[in-house]
Amino acid sequence: MCTLEKRGNVYILTLTGNDEHRLNPTLLDSIRSALRRLRSEPTSPSSVLITTAHGKFFSNGYDLSWARSTTSQSITSSRYRMMSSKLRGLVSDLISLPMPTIAAITGHASAGGMVFALSHDYVIMRRDRGFLYMSELDIGLVVPAWFVALLECKIGSPKARRDMVLKAAKLTAEMAVGKGIVDMVGGNAEETVEAAVRLGEEMFKRKWDGQVYAKNRMVILGKVLDKLGFDETVEEENGKGNRSKL
């Protein structure tokens, strides 16, 4: 599902395979397990994490097929809650990780997959393939409040946030960097990862205290942390679910 390797002074977490990297419990657990291993590395607090993926997709969001592969509505609802809980746990793990983080987006990042990418400190996006896309509006679903909290912390322009959420805009790398959503545009997949490695090595040279770095990040993203405890779109409210299936 994913691998963790050290390259020079940085760690690279790769979502493996050529599928859509849907955020089902198996993949989410695999990523969180890799982050726990990273925390246990004796040199990790002074290092940098890069997350990337093989294939056409960085991540295409929640695994809807898995959630719906049952005739029981209660089981389906439970699966949505499980994916939401595990993604929120992963985002919390990234926010508290004692090192800088970089997402090297080498393919499409949609809905929960885009949120996963933006949960990193820096985002570098491949020029020749991939969109950033919040797809909820196109299929008639509500964006969770915690997604919005992250977008507000990561995207400074209200107009850019409007276009993402209320136009369901599909943004190329050039469009996304122009709106201040990503930090840098890479070339092909390999060049995008190499650009992330160069940025990581530059940050490593600063020899920051990873624990202090994480605490500062937690202050900046405090609004997100406050929202991670609950996802109203997968919980029952007044007997009716208002679910985002992404």
Side-chain angles (χ1 to χ4, degrees):
M1 302 296 287
C2 71
T3 61
L4 181 66
E5 62 172 317
K6 190 173 184 182
R7 185 185 301 181
N9 296 304
V10 305
Y11 288 86
I12 301 178
L13 191 158
T14 304
L15 310 187
T16 57
N18 292 315
D19 59 10
E20 296 182 6
H21 307 299
R22 289 278 186 172
L23 299 174
N24 56 47
T26 302
L27 178 56
L28 290 165
D29 285 345
S30 179
I31 298 170
R32 296 189 72 186
S33 176
L35 295 183
R36 286 193 294 271
R37 294 199 308 273
L38 180 56
R39 288 178 187 269
S40 70
E41 291 288 331
T43 60
S44 66
S46 60
S47 190
V48 176
L49 172 69
I50 297 167
T51 302
T52 190
H54 291 157
K56 182 179 178 180
F57 291 87
F58 179 82
S59 172
N60 205 21
Y62 287 153
D63 193 339
L64 307 184
S65 296
W66 171 76
R68 296 169 177 168
S69 62
T70 174
T71 59
S72 169
Q73 182 59 45
S74 64
I75 293 176
T76 297
S77 297
S78 175
R79 289 177 175 180
Y80 287 125
R81 287 194 296 271
M82 184 183 302
M83 289 189 293
S84 171
S85 176
K86 288 181 180 293
L87 178 57
R88 285 180 281 137
L90 172 57
V91 171
S92 179
D93 290 345
L94 285 169
I95 291 174
S96 65
L97 194 69
M99 65 187 70
T101 58
I102 305 168
I105 301 179
T106 54
H108 303 299
S110 302
M114 176 177 166
V115 167
F116 173 43
L118 293 185
S119 297
H120 294 72
D121 300 324
Y122 299 88
V123 179
I124 302 174
M125 188 173 174
R126 178 177 178 174
R127 184 188 308 274
D128 62 342
R129 172 186 287 176
F131 295 103
L132 296 182
Y133 177 39
M134 293 297 293
S135 54
E136 282 87 346
L137 184 63
D138 280 342
I139 56 175
L141 297 173
V142 177
V143 177
W146 77 269
F147 275 29
V148 175
L150 182 70
L151 295 179
E152 288 176 345
C153 288
K154 295 290 185 170
I155 303 175
S157 166
K159 290 183 178 180
R161 296 196 299 268
R162 177 202 63 194
D163 289 349
M164 293 303 305
V165 177
L166 298 181
K167 286 187 176 180
K170 294 181 179 180
L171 302 183
T172 64
E174 296 285 1
M175 296 165 67
V177 77
K179 291 179 178 291
I181 299 172
V182 306
D183 299 284
M184 189 186 310
V185 175
N188 59 27
E190 182 179 354
E191 291 166 344
T192 300
V193 173
E194 288 303 319
V197 170
R198 289 194 298 272
L199 176 60
E201 290 286 357
E202 290 174 7
M203 287 189 286
F204 174 80
K205 293 176 182 178
R206 302 294 297 273
K207 299 297 181 182
W208 290 319
D209 183 314
Q211 297 298 331
V212 172
Y213 189 96
K215 289 178 181 178
N216 285 338
R217 184 200 290 125
M218 292 169 71
V219 172
I220 291 174
L221 300 180
K223 181 178 179 180
V224 180
L225 292 172
D226 289 343
K227 294 288 187 180
L228 286 179
F230 183 73
D231 181 348
E232 73 287 351
T233 66
V234 296
E235 299 297 338
E236 295 296 320
E237 296 183 348
N238 299 320
K240 295 179 66 177
N242 187 28
R243 181 178 299 116
S244 168
K245 299 181 180 67
L246 300 184

